[in-house]
Amino acid sequence: MQAPGSRAVHLSEWQKNYFAVTSGTCTAAQKAEAYRAQVLRVQYAWANSEISQVCASKLFKKYAEKYSAVIDSDNVETGLNNYAEHVLALARSQQTDSDKWQSGLSTSNVFQMRSVREMMRAGEKLRGSLLGAADASVVIHSGALAAEPPKFSACGSGESDPLTKPAHGTGWTQGVPESGPSGPLSAQPPVATNTPKTCPTASAPFGDLATPLFGNVRKENGSAPKASPGLSLFFAHQSRAPPGSDSPWDRSAFYGSGPADALSAPTLSKALRKTEGSGPREEGGLPTFKTAKEQLWVEQQKKHHPPARAAAACGGVKKSLGASRSRGIFGKFVPPVPKPDGGDANGGVQYKPDSAGPTEPAPPVDERLKSLEPKMIELIMSEIMDHGPPVSWDDIAGVEFAKAAVKEIVVWPMLRPDIFTGLRGPPKGILLFGPPGTGKTLIGKCIASQSGATFFSISASSLTSKWVGEGEKMVRALFAVARCQQPAVIFIDEIDSLLSQRADGEHESSRRIKTEFLVQLDGATTSSEDRILVVGATNRPQEIDEAARRRLVKRLYIPLPEASARKQIVTRLMSREQCCLREEEDRAGGAAAADITTITADQVPPITYVDFENAFRTVRPSVSPTDLELYENWNRTFGCGK
Ligand SMILES: Nc1ncnc2c1ncn2[C@@H]1O[C@H](COP(=O)(O)OP(=O)(O)OP(=O)(O)O)[C@@H](O)[C@H]1O
Ligand SMILES: [Mg+2]
């Protein structure tokens, strides 16, 4: 609990903020900032037990929605819609921090892949049934305005609406206290209760459903939401892709079928790209074509409803980053393009091509990415780590406990979604911590290979330094894209640099990234409909903010390898080398005599036992006993394992 004095300060700040945003004198940016600050305070107040969970849920929902509304709105006066162009230019020059994970794919071999060929074929087939390129611009434009006529409602299909469901977490792993949102109430992040039926907002942290993260992995679910303009754009122009559909793990979740197919047709994709790429739709860019009907709709929405909420309130499609759900997790696959017969596989509100006139806007392909800058989506997609050399569980020596726990969380629920439900549902936030070099990143790569989920890897430092000033948008975009690519794993290496304890002298931009990340993390970890697992890795766990710590419910210690694991690592490494480990073998003379500049590769002397002895004499451990003790202590205090 905080001292009364500090509470008074909080209160007056709160009041000041409230006054500022209601006075009508604030700019949109100031409003967004004020709302964000409120979100942060709610989280703090709740974390410090200053307010109840119910109160926290309500306030959290309220301010996060307001924040999203301002951010998402493309109204120049009241909204920001600020996915700026320049960040992309900045970032494009230094994409992908994880240089070890450069894709082995190229534009030429990606088209050899079966899944891509299938996509292209299907795209060709469906192209005819879609609008022509000119009409495609109408599609996007109408989507961007968030003013789709009501018949395309993403909220009203009669399927589960996250916000109408009772609030209770599901992530839980048995036997581990405080290891899941559905653990003791005190361990739960704020979740909304009895929220009105409305489209979820960008961060979608409030809905809470009864289905587990990876507990309902169905191919159709995995692929259903992928028909986004941004993603199709990516597909059409990408040079990276998973290394072959015949790989041991299932990549179909990534490529899916229908949605991407239809949009992978080059002409349409080009049209989409052109339209989306025109940036802020009406501000500064070329005005895109709008039908009179659309214009009228937009005008009415602007007049009668606050920005970004309008469409939702009227059953239209709200522009939001990742929360629109037109169907539950058990819902049938809804083809994102109309079936030839106009049928609706889901029985919900569906686009009927026949009823749409030539100028009638087509259904938005993916609501959740509409407000994102397509190039930003492309950038996010290029961060996907789903294309590195495969790593199997056997490649990781030792750390049996952590491996078992990760398998339990990531793999098993995919194999038996029927079992891993309710309290048995997997946690959605994992923290791998331990000394440097113990295999945390390796485990991340293994999850990428073995989970069957779409894998996003992002280095926290790249968010804080690479995209200076734009990291928060990248965070939002990352989670939004992940929501469209479910089941998804977001791996954040060096997460301490993103979620370190908040300090007074902290830079404004990193504070904003942190807050955004917490908001998104809340959304991902509390919504049981979203099957997004966030895995963080750090060798400085003590620096992680307590609010973030709580959300990363399963905190696994990755210690230094035991003797048997070390042996395994060395044996495996030596198996790739030419070596001769007989003690009597003495190659010291030979090595000395060899001239490194002239020696041929096959003349390089094999590694011998003497080399090991020499190494033992000179190599010192990189982790000090004091450091080790720190990790052990932290593990005892916050860890979820041995
Ligand atoms: N348990 C292990 N089994 C096999 N190889 C390992 C293991 N642990 C580490 N390695 C190898 O050691 C190197 C460093 O591992 P990795 O990058 O995963 O460590 P890390 O824990 O992420 O370190 P840091 O905290 O510095 O990021 C890699 O080449 C990895 O393959
Ligand atoms: Mg690492």
Side-chain angles (χ1 to χ4, degrees):
M1 294 289 277
Q2 299 221 336
S6 90
R7 236 193 246 188
V9 171
H10 272 209
L11 197 61
S12 84
E13 268 185 33
W14 189 294
Q15 285 167 331
K16 248 192 319 193
N17 246 330
Y18 183 77
F19 184 74
V21 293
T22 50
S23 66
T25 55
C26 279
T27 63
Q30 284 167 332
K31 267 192 186 176
E33 192 45 47
Y35 287 136
R36 189 207 301 273
Q38 301 291 63
V39 168
L40 200 63
R41 281 193 196 101
V42 171
Q43 289 178 330
Y44 265 152
W46 181 68
N48 293 327
S49 310
E50 287 173 10
I51 52 176
S52 71
Q53 192 194 1
V54 175
C55 177
S57 296
K58 282 186 183 151
L59 290 173
F60 188 86
K61 175 178 185 305
K62 179 175 163 186
Y63 289 111
E65 276 191 344
K66 283 174 186 258
Y67 168 65
S68 300
V70 177
I71 293 281
D72 286 349
S73 170
D74 54 4
N75 181 319
V76 277
E77 279 161 20
T78 57
L80 290 176
N81 193 21
N82 57 359
Y83 286 95
E85 271 281 325
H86 64 271
V87 55
L88 301 160
L90 201 78
R92 215 173 293 119
S93 58
Q94 22 180 341
Q95 279 182 13
T96 311
D97 261 5
S98 43
D99 49 350
K100 291 179 207 150
W101 283 87
Q102 293 295 332
S103 171
L105 294 169
S106 65
T107 6
S108 55
N109 66 18
V110 79
F111 289 111
Q112 305 297 318
M113 293 168 58
R114 200 184 63 211
S115 55
V116 173
R117 283 205 306 270
E118 278 168 11
M119 262 164 38
M120 299 297 287
R121 264 202 305 279
E124 283 295 324
K125 227 161 77 187
L126 286 164
R127 190 152 42 136
S129 66
L130 282 175
L131 298 176
D135 289 330
S137 71
V138 178
V139 176
I140 300 309
H141 183 70
S142 64
L145 288 167
E148 204 64 36
K151 67 179 182 162
F152 299 136
S153 168
C155 306
S157 67
E159 301 254 347
S160 59
D161 175 343
L163 293 183
T164 58
K165 301 235 174 170
H168 61 89
T170 54
W172 179 254
T173 301
Q174 303 116 292
V176 182
E178 206 210 326
S179 69
S182 61
L185 271 184
S186 63
Q188 291 190 16
V191 286
T193 51
N194 302 324
T195 49
K197 177 160 178 142
T198 167
C199 279
T201 56
S203 49
F206 323 113
D208 205 314
L209 307 178
T211 41
L213 168 63
F214 287 100
N216 295 281
V217 180
R218 309 230 164 132
K219 289 291 165 266
E220 62 268 34
N221 284 341
S223 59
K226 287 174 193 154
S228 70
L231 297 188
S232 68
L233 191 149
F234 166 73
F235 284 123
H237 299 278
Q238 67 157 334
S239 61
R240 294 163 185 230
S245 52
D246 52 347
S247 57
W249 56 95
D250 185 355
R251 292 169 191 281
S252 59
F254 178 83
Y255 282 113
S257 51
D261 303 347
L263 292 161
S264 63
T267 319
L268 180 56
S269 293
K270 231 182 191 163
L272 294 173
R273 181 192 179 94
K274 198 167 162 225
T275 317
E276 287 253 286
S278 61
R281 285 79 191 170
E282 285 178 277
E283 313 128 25
L286 290 170
T288 39
F289 172 72
K290 224 184 314 184
T291 64
K293 186 176 173 184
E294 281 176 88
Q295 182 62 46
L296 181 66
W297 173 260
V298 172
E299 293 302 326
Q300 281 179 348
Q301 294 308 311
K302 281 184 183 162
K303 216 157 123 191
H304 299 299
H305 301 285
R309 307 285 305 148
C314 293
V317 178
K318 178 189 179 300
K319 187 169 73 168
S320 117
L321 291 185
S324 301
R325 291 285 184 278
S326 59
R327 62 197 170 83
I329 200 138
F330 290 110
K332 285 186 212 157
F333 171 63
V334 182
V337 290
K339 283 182 159 190
D341 61 357
D344 174 2
N346 200 37
V349 179
Q350 267 285 76
Y351 172 61
K352 298 273 194 305
D354 294 340
S355 67
T359 56
E360 200 84 23
V365 192
D366 194 314
E367 293 308 317
R368 294 166 292 179
L369 296 177
K370 266 198 305 199
S371 56
L372 296 178
E373 166 67 49
K375 286 177 193 162
M376 191 169 266
I377 296 171
E378 199 176 336
L379 203 62
I380 292 288
M381 298 299 277
S382 71
E383 292 282 347
I384 287 183
M385 198 167 116
D386 197 20
H387 44 53
V391 175
S392 76
W393 295 107
D394 291 339
D395 293 335
I396 306 170
V399 285
E400 296 303 335
F401 176 81
K403 278 200 290 186
V406 171
K407 274 186 209 171
E408 186 182 320
I409 294 164
V410 179
V411 183
W412 294 358
M414 297 199 68
L415 297 175
R416 292 300 303 270
D418 52 327
I419 296 176
F420 291 90
T421 57
L423 286 179
R424 291 189 183 85
K428 297 178 186 175
I430 304 179
L431 179 68
L432 305 173
F433 69 94
T438 49
K440 299 179 290 296
T441 304
L442 192 64
I443 292 177
K445 291 171 182 176
C446 185
I447 295 174
S449 304
Q450 308 297 323
S451 68
T454 315
F455 197 87
F456 298 83
S457 170
I458 197 147
S459 158
S461 64
S462 74
L463 282 175
T464 49
S465 60
K466 190 157 88 175
W467 294 302
V468 181
E470 307 290 342
E472 66 197 288
K473 291 170 200 161
M474 286 302 292
V475 170
R476 282 160 60 81
L478 175 68
F479 277 84
V481 174
R483 282 193 184 95
C484 294
Q485 295 285 325
Q486 295 180 39
V489 174
I490 298 177
F491 181 73
I492 301 169
D493 220 346
E494 312 158 43
I495 200 169
D496 52 281
S497 64
L498 179 65
L499 296 176
S500 55
Q501 315 261 358
R502 284 164 252 221
D504 282 347
E506 187 178 24
H507 197 277
E508 169 66 14
S509 67
S510 45
R511 194 180 62 77
R512 285 159 52 142
I513 293 173
K514 204 180 298 177
T515 309
E516 184 64 54
F517 188 81
L518 289 178
V519 168
Q520 295 293 337
L521 194 59
D522 246 348
T525 53
T526 55
S527 162
S528 49
E529 177 164 314
D530 283 338
R531 288 160 298 142
I532 300 174
L533 172 69
V534 177
V535 182
T538 179
N539 50 35
R540 289 183 298 184
Q542 61 285 355
E543 289 187 14
I544 289 184
D545 181 295
E546 64 273 12
R549 192 169 62 220
R550 188 176 57 76
R551 286 165 177 83
L552 299 167
V553 289
K554 190 87 175 173
R555 298 174 287 269
L556 297 170
Y557 183 35
I558 313 295
L560 290 178
E562 295 157 351
S564 59
R566 286 169 196 238
K567 188 176 171 196
Q568 209 180 317
I569 294 172
V570 172
T571 312
R572 197 167 299 150
L573 290 173
M574 294 303 290
S575 68
R576 294 178 217 146
E577 303 291 334
Q578 191 199 357
C579 67
C580 182
L581 286 174
R582 288 197 306 273
E583 219 169 313
E584 63 272 19
E585 181 114 357
D586 178 9
R587 66 159 190 83
D595 181 354
I596 197 72
T597 55
T598 54
I599 193 172
T600 60
D602 55 355
Q603 285 173 330
V604 175
I607 298 167
T608 67
Y609 190 76
V610 175
D611 294 315
F612 280 90
E613 284 187 325
N614 288 339
F616 275 130
R617 270 197 290 276
T618 53
V619 177
R620 302 275 171 273
S622 60
V623 185
S624 73
T626 330
D627 288 345
L628 271 183
E629 209 175 308
L630 280 178
Y631 288 116
E632 303 280 349
N633 281 341
W634 201 88
N635 185 34
R636 269 194 293 276
T637 317
F638 302 111
C640 299
K642 288 191 205 168

